[in-house]
Amino acid sequence: MPAEPQTSAIPTDPTARAARVDELRRQLERANYEYYILDNPTLSDADYDALLRELRAIEEADPELVTPDSPTQRVGAQVPSAGFAAHRHPRPMLSLANARNAEELAAWEKRAHNILPDATFTYVGELKIDGLAMALTYERGRLVMGATRGDGIEGEDVTANVRVVHDIPHTLTGDDIPERVEIRGEIYMPASSFERLNEEMSAEAAKRVNDDGTSPAAKLYANPRNSAAGSLRQKDWRMTKGRNLHFFAYQIGYVEGQPEPTSQVEALARIRAWGFVVNPNVQVLPTLDDAAAYCLEWQGRRFELDYEIDGCVIKISDRHQQEELGVVARDPRWAIAYKFPPIQATTVLREIRVNIGRTGTLNPYAVLDPVNIGGVTVKHATLHNEEDIQRKDLRIGDTVLLQRAGDVIPQIVKPILEKRPLDGEGNPVAPQYALPRVCPSCGAPVRKDEEEVMAYCTNDMAHCPAQTLEWLRHYVSRGAMDIMGVGEEVCAALYAADLVHDPADLYHLTADDLATLEGFKAKRIANALKSIEESKQRPLGKLLFALGIRHVGEKVARIVADRFGDIDVLLAASQDEIADIPGVGPIIGESLHTWLANDEHRALIERLRAAGLRMTADQSAPIPVGPLTGQSFILTGRLEHQTRPQAEAALAALGGTIASSVSKTLSHLIAGADAGSKL
């Protein structure tokens, strides 16, 4: 097995833990957005899984850091992409926990036996297709909805495009058709079709000519998964139809009008009978040893297929056992993804550079000799932090081992010491790497507490050029103020031209200002100014998130805005009043209150108010208030008259909050039959 991605030790200092959680969530949120919305990932599967494991470990060690908007509490992207209506899944589309070897597979089985000690499990092995998860709804046998997974709760309605995908029937076949049924599966593009598509896109680009006589660079897809996702999100269904997409069905989400299948084996049989294509390599596995052998077999055979797989999925087949095992966080306990090791290559580390993040973090990255890994040319790699670089003993000039799992930016696993450049006395030519002790952007001192993983510029966002630029990019981004036409490059150009120094300056831009920027003609100027003007009507929750306050994510910002309703009420609130909001807590409460109490920040808010921005919350969908408001609940075990999601929905409708874990702030634990460790 290749070396696994490393994770940092859990900081013992509470402030360091909170800071690391903030950094991990930022990286994971960006990765989710790139993966699910942009279809252009820049973080490898291995890196993403390592960050998620580290975040989950810290949250388990300190449950008070868990918030509803944490990536550990949900799946995938948070918002539908532009151009598609939102669709709320009747039952959440969950993600899967990962195993990377037989030992972790055995640990998963042991956890299941801890809950059902007397049970005998039969498994079903399925290939993990690297495509786009899809939920198809049929009413009386006719296709009425096709929706992406999205964040697991809400996805995108792509019904029109789904109808032209190969292997998706418009009408179910057979005599035993339910009143309503949801079929889940994976839309994918064959590897041969992906290669042909990129060739066609390159050929099309070669036909176009720029003003200087050159041809523009072709915008190619990185891999079949991204090409499938991008093809499905075409605004014209005829474009989707020409992309040779296919569908493997693997699960019944829910069924009405007939009994639920008693097992995964029965579910797959029904799916086949209704006219769907089920992957031919599905296998019933009597024991866990058989499951491990199945995974290892396909790890060696993965490149025999004309579609990409990044692992296998092992499921406990019996439906009653599935219900008893239930779900933890975002993962069903009855299924696990056995992830294959990523592709590896070697290259030379030529330079280590540093980016400054929005919150002041010094983020080192590697500049590499270009190397082709899995069809993608790689020039850079993340290095995480100084501690990680020194722990691996990475030095300029080293030949290094890279690993990549289908994404653009890989991780450096280790240096190849046998190839390290040495001087005449056998010592390394390059010294051990150390981060700069002053900020490369503003020259302010760099702070790194002894127990902290990350080093920080001691300046704030408004006074460090690199932080300011990242702040502006965050402010205009989707999910924040969503200012179309003013993206990352435009923010950089506006800042370089001395036109914009903070978010309030955006609202004083004129057509003449924008005309000084390269590439801005009349139509582009008009569109940018229109989008800036429209952003003034974003609700308070969007503005709070856009302001880039540490620890205040998109969902927390909305919760706070909905609670106070108006910026002036929030500005007058005490730290305790903010911290006492369910889902906020003391760390976020302190960060938000401290930021709002700062005179410069209050002046910025007043400038935004004077520019005409909305300073009230969106009350169109208020948080339910009822007899259980202010109380938190956890449900464990099997309930007699309702499923756990139904009971949680009923509690939420009465104003209750569903907690993610047991903590000292928990109000109620509701225990059914066969309750687990929470009891």
Side-chain angles (χ1 to χ4, degrees):
M1 283 280 202
E4 296 295 341
Q6 301 295 314
T7 57
S8 301
I10 297 175
T12 57
D13 177 72
T15 302
R17 282 200 299 271
R20 181 57 179 162
V21 164
D22 178 59
E23 182 65 16
L24 289 168
R25 288 175 181 167
R26 182 190 68 78
Q27 294 183 53
L28 290 166
E29 292 287 2
R30 180 63 188 173
N32 280 334
Y33 177 71
E34 291 173 339
Y35 188 88
Y36 290 100
I37 300 300
L38 300 183
D39 304 317
N40 186 31
T42 60
L43 190 69
S44 73
D45 286 352
D47 285 344
Y48 182 93
D49 290 344
L51 295 175
L52 191 63
R53 286 195 303 275
E54 183 180 354
L55 177 58
R56 183 176 285 118
I58 297 175
E59 290 180 347
E60 289 174 352
D62 191 349
E64 289 191 0
L65 292 179
V66 179
T67 61
D69 63 328
S70 174
T72 64
Q73 305 303 306
R74 55 182 175 75
V75 182
Q78 290 181 270
V79 292
S81 60
F84 296 99
H87 170 75
R88 191 171 184 84
H89 300 297
R91 290 189 184 177
M93 294 185 71
L94 301 172
S95 184
L96 293 173
N98 294 334
R100 295 160 294 163
N101 50 52
E103 291 74 21
E104 292 183 3
L105 202 59
W108 164 72
E109 183 190 53
K110 183 178 179 180
R111 291 193 295 271
H113 273 305
N114 288 340
I115 298 172
L116 299 176
D118 298 323
T120 299
F121 299 135
T122 296
Y123 305 97
V124 173
E126 303 172 10
L127 301 187
K128 188 174 182 296
I129 312 300
D130 198 10
L132 186 68
M134 186 64 49
L136 307 172
T137 305
Y138 291 79
E139 293 181 353
R140 292 179 292 278
R142 294 188 177 276
L143 177 64
V144 297
M145 172 62 66
T148 64
R149 181 171 63 181
D151 67 355
I153 304 298
E154 191 175 85
E156 300 163 339
D157 178 353
V158 290
T159 308
N161 290 358
V162 158
R163 291 183 183 277
V164 299
V165 173
H166 297 291
D167 315 317
I168 293 182
H170 292 192
T171 304
L172 301 183
T173 59
D175 299 322
D176 192 18
I177 306 298
E179 280 293 308
R180 184 180 177 90
V181 65
E182 183 190 78
I183 304 298
R184 296 179 176 179
E186 204 84 8
I187 287 179
Y188 68 96
M189 177 178 285
S192 55
S193 298
F194 160 71
E195 293 170 1
R196 187 162 55 250
L197 174 62
N198 267 352
E199 290 172 359
E200 292 170 356
M201 294 174 73
S202 296
E204 280 296 316
K207 294 177 183 177
R208 299 191 294 271
V209 180
N210 293 324
D211 293 340
D212 61 0
T214 63
S215 295
K219 295 182 178 180
L220 306 179
Y221 286 113
N223 51 55
R225 187 267 166 203
N226 299 126
S227 62
S231 298
L232 193 71
R233 290 191 173 102
Q234 296 292 321
K235 294 182 179 180
D236 185 344
W237 61 265
R238 287 166 292 194
M239 291 288 291
T240 303
K241 186 176 182 179
R243 293 291 177 86
N244 193 32
L245 300 180
H246 290 264
F247 181 74
F248 280 131
Y250 56 67
Q251 188 176 342
I252 295 176
Y254 64 89
V255 61
E256 298 174 1
Q258 64 176 234
E260 295 262 3
T262 60
S263 67
Q264 176 67 2
V265 173
E266 182 183 340
L268 293 175
R270 288 197 201 178
I271 289 170
R272 287 191 190 94
W274 289 330
F276 291 93
V277 176
V278 174
N279 189 278
N281 301 301
V282 172
Q283 188 173 333
V284 177
L285 305 163
T287 70
L288 192 71
D289 287 341
D290 296 324
Y294 174 86
C295 295
L296 288 174
E297 176 188 1
W298 281 106
Q299 182 175 312
R301 296 180 58 190
R302 61 190 294 193
F303 299 112
E304 297 177 11
L305 305 168
D306 191 31
Y307 48 88
E308 287 198 348
I309 61 174
D310 58 358
C312 297
V313 178
I314 304 300
K315 299 176 181 177
I316 293 173
S317 182
D318 185 271
R319 176 175 168 267
H320 178 68
Q321 291 174 341
Q322 292 179 4
E323 290 180 343
E324 288 187 314
L325 290 169
V327 174
V328 56
R330 64 177 197 165
D331 307 325
R333 291 190 180 95
W334 47 268
I336 194 164
Y338 185 102
K339 298 295 289 289
F340 295 156
I343 300 169
Q344 296 188 327
T346 59
T347 188
V348 177
L349 172 61
R350 293 298 180 188
E351 189 178 354
I352 296 178
R353 298 177 184 171
V354 175
N355 282 330
I356 309 300
R358 174 171 54 86
T359 59
T361 56
L362 272 67
N363 307 310
Y365 67 96
V367 179
L368 309 163
D369 280 353
V371 60
N372 187 289
I373 307 179
V376 175
T377 299
V378 176
K379 300 177 182 179
H380 302 102
T382 59
L383 292 175
H384 301 302
N385 52 64
E386 182 181 51
E387 179 183 297
D388 189 54
I389 296 171
Q390 293 179 351
R391 178 176 53 80
K392 295 177 180 177
D393 192 23
L394 299 175
R395 299 169 187 254
I396 305 301
D398 277 348
T399 297
V400 294
L401 179 66
L402 297 177
Q403 64 178 17
R404 175 181 171 271
D407 298 331
V408 176
I409 300 180
Q411 179 189 35
I412 295 179
V413 178
K414 63 176 183 177
I416 309 300
L417 297 178
E418 294 80 1
K419 297 184 178 182
R420 169 166 286 171
L422 304 175
D423 62 20
E425 297 180 359
N427 299 314
V429 172
Q432 186 179 57
Y433 177 78
L435 279 174
R437 295 310 177 221
V438 297
C439 175
S441 176
C442 68
V446 169
R447 185 193 79 247
K448 185 179 185 301
D449 296 335
E450 187 175 337
E451 294 185 346
E452 275 222 56
V453 174
M454 302 304 295
Y456 290 84
C457 167
T458 51
N459 242 336
D460 63 20
M461 287 187 292
H463 300 97
C464 173
Q467 290 186 64
T468 301
L469 183 54
E470 291 302 315
W471 184 25
L472 293 172
R473 288 169 170 170
H474 170 72
Y475 185 88
V476 303
S477 67
R478 187 181 302 277
M481 298 304 276
D482 194 16
I483 302 179
M484 304 297 292
V486 185
E488 293 190 0
E489 293 183 3
V490 175
C491 283
L494 289 168
Y495 186 74
D498 207 27
L499 292 170
V500 173
H501 301 93
D502 62 38
D505 289 340
L506 289 166
Y507 299 98
H508 298 286
L509 289 171
T510 66
D512 289 342
D513 291 331
L514 293 176
T516 64
L517 303 182
E518 183 178 353
F520 269 78
K521 304 300 181 184
K523 183 176 181 180
R524 188 176 181 186
I525 291 170
N527 288 339
L529 291 175
K530 179 174 181 288
S531 187
I532 291 171
E533 185 66 26
E534 289 173 346
S535 75
K536 295 179 180 180
Q537 298 307 311
R538 306 282 186 259
L540 179 59
K542 292 284 188 181
L543 177 59
L544 287 177
F545 175 57
L547 288 173
I549 305 167
R550 186 173 293 185
H551 304 313
V552 179
E554 186 174 358
K555 288 188 178 180
V556 166
R558 179 178 56 80
I559 290 170
V560 171
D562 289 344
R563 164 64 178 81
F564 291 102
D566 184 277
I567 188 65
D568 292 317
V569 179
L570 175 58
L571 288 170
S574 69
Q575 182 175 319
D576 288 343
E577 287 177 309
I578 298 172
D580 286 343
I581 302 171
V584 178
I587 293 174
I588 299 175
E590 179 183 9
S591 177
L592 178 56
H593 184 266
T594 301
W595 195 95
L596 293 171
N598 180 284
D599 289 341
E600 287 190 21
H601 298 158
R602 290 201 171 214
L604 172 63
I605 290 172
E606 292 310 315
R607 290 174 58 216
L608 291 169
R609 190 202 303 266
L613 269 73
R614 176 179 172 182
M615 295 287 166
T616 57
D618 184 358
Q619 299 296 339
S620 61
I623 297 174
V625 176
L628 301 182
T629 296
Q631 301 182 58
S632 56
F633 297 80
I634 282 183
L635 289 79
T636 184
R638 187 175 68 254
L639 305 181
E640 187 173 350
H641 299 296
Q642 289 180 303
T643 65
R644 197 175 304 168
Q646 288 172 333
E648 290 176 348
L651 291 168
L654 294 171
T657 300
I658 308 303
S660 58
S661 61
V662 175
S663 70
K664 64 182 181 181
T665 61
L666 181 68
S667 306
H668 304 280
L669 178 67
I670 299 176
D674 302 322
S677 59
K678 292 186 179 69
L679 181 59

